[in-house]
Amino acid sequence: MELAKITTRGQITIPAEIRKKLGVRDGDKVIFLEENGRIIIDNAAMISLRSAQNAFAGEAERLGLKTEQDVVNLVKDVRREIWEENHARND
């Protein structure tokens, strides 16, 4: 168990061992979540990454993407479509 003191400005220093476990360093952000009446602190970047992963879950299968090359080809196709749209507007 780790302990942190709250300053008069409401600030705390997260103990080094907790920072290591969270994977946070200077300048990183943490998020406070409430679960079942308890407050949980977590790495904000990791929460965002997990949220994005969950949002995209199943999309590769839906789009028929099975290999890294499939993804590369999709990106090229999208870039070409965007270029063609922009180029058509300039004519």
Side-chain angles (χ1 to χ4, degrees):
M1 175 171 50
E2 299 285 343
L3 186 65
K5 184 177 178 181
I6 301 173
T7 70
T8 57
R9 295 183 64 196
Q11 299 171 324
I12 63 170
T13 298
I14 302 170
E17 190 61 32
I18 302 299
R19 291 193 310 269
K20 283 182 195 174
K21 289 180 180 181
L22 288 172
V24 295
R25 292 183 274 180
D26 291 351
D28 288 349
K29 294 183 179 184
V30 295
I31 188 168
F32 296 89
L33 306 166
E34 184 176 354
E35 281 186 13
N36 300 321
R38 295 182 158 235
I39 303 300
I40 298 169
I41 184 173
D42 206 343
N43 181 327
M46 293 308 294
I47 293 288
S48 295
L49 178 59
R50 283 188 290 245
S51 177
Q53 287 173 328
N54 290 338
F56 286 106
E59 285 301 301
E61 292 84 10
R62 187 182 72 75
L63 294 171
L65 304 173
K66 295 180 180 162
T67 66
E68 186 175 339
Q69 189 59 49
D70 291 341
V71 175
V72 170
N73 292 339
L74 176 63
V75 170
K76 286 180 181 179
D77 290 345
V78 169
R79 286 179 176 164
R80 183 175 43 253
E81 289 173 14
I82 291 170
W83 185 86
E84 288 172 354
E85 286 177 13
N86 290 336
H87 185 70
R89 289 184 194 153
N90 293 331
D91 288 341

